[in-house]
Amino acid sequence: MQPFISWALATGRCHISPAALLVHDALGLMVSFRGALALPFALDLPPAPPSPCDGCPAPCLDACPVGALGPGYDLAACHGWLDDPRNDCMARGCAARRACPVSPPRPDAQAAHHMAAFHKEHP
């Protein structure tokens, strides 16, 4: 397992959000990393922008219907909610990620695909 979170934070473009998820300055909470390139040389990085969470009222914390996010992550509460037929997270994506004012909208079909994979991986 590679240290993707450490690498993402080292870029200066990602930060830890109040919901304890990675937040990107342009992609909000809709950021994820699936791979990396190893180069035999260092790249000069542009100056890091401030965290998009600076001054934000943190709607991500209030958006989770079961309060699964915050200083810790209550995985059991999250998956319990995903099993509840009243949830809209399985069809539309994580409510906390959608509540971030920086997160771009994601098509429902794409969000449902990611949620189904997440829920299958951690039932």
Side-chain angles (χ1 to χ4, degrees), residues 28-78:
L29 294 176
M30 296 295 185
V31 64
S32 61
F33 296 89
R34 302 286 190 258
L37 297 174
L39 303 174
F41 52 86
L43 294 174
D44 291 328
L45 297 176
S51 170
C53 299
D54 292 347
C56 180
C60 56
L61 289 178
D62 297 327
C64 180
V66 292
L69 301 170
Y73 179 35
D74 188 342
L75 190 61
C78 176

Side-chain angles (χ1 to χ4, degrees), residues 92-120:
R92 299 185 57 224
C94 171
R97 290 181 191 269
R98 287 185 280 128
C100 175
V102 182
S103 293
R106 183 181 267 180
D108 287 351
Q110 182 182 8
H113 169 80
H114 286 283
M115 291 302 293
F118 167 71
H119 194 42
K120 180 181 178 184

Side-chain angles (χ1 to χ4, degrees), residues 1 3 5-6 8 14-15 34 49 58 62 75 82 88 95 100 102 111 116 123:
M1 191 106 175
I5 292 175
S6 298
C14 290
H15 307 271
R34 302 286 190 258
D62 297 327
L75 190 61
L82 297 179
D88 72 341
C100 175
V102 182

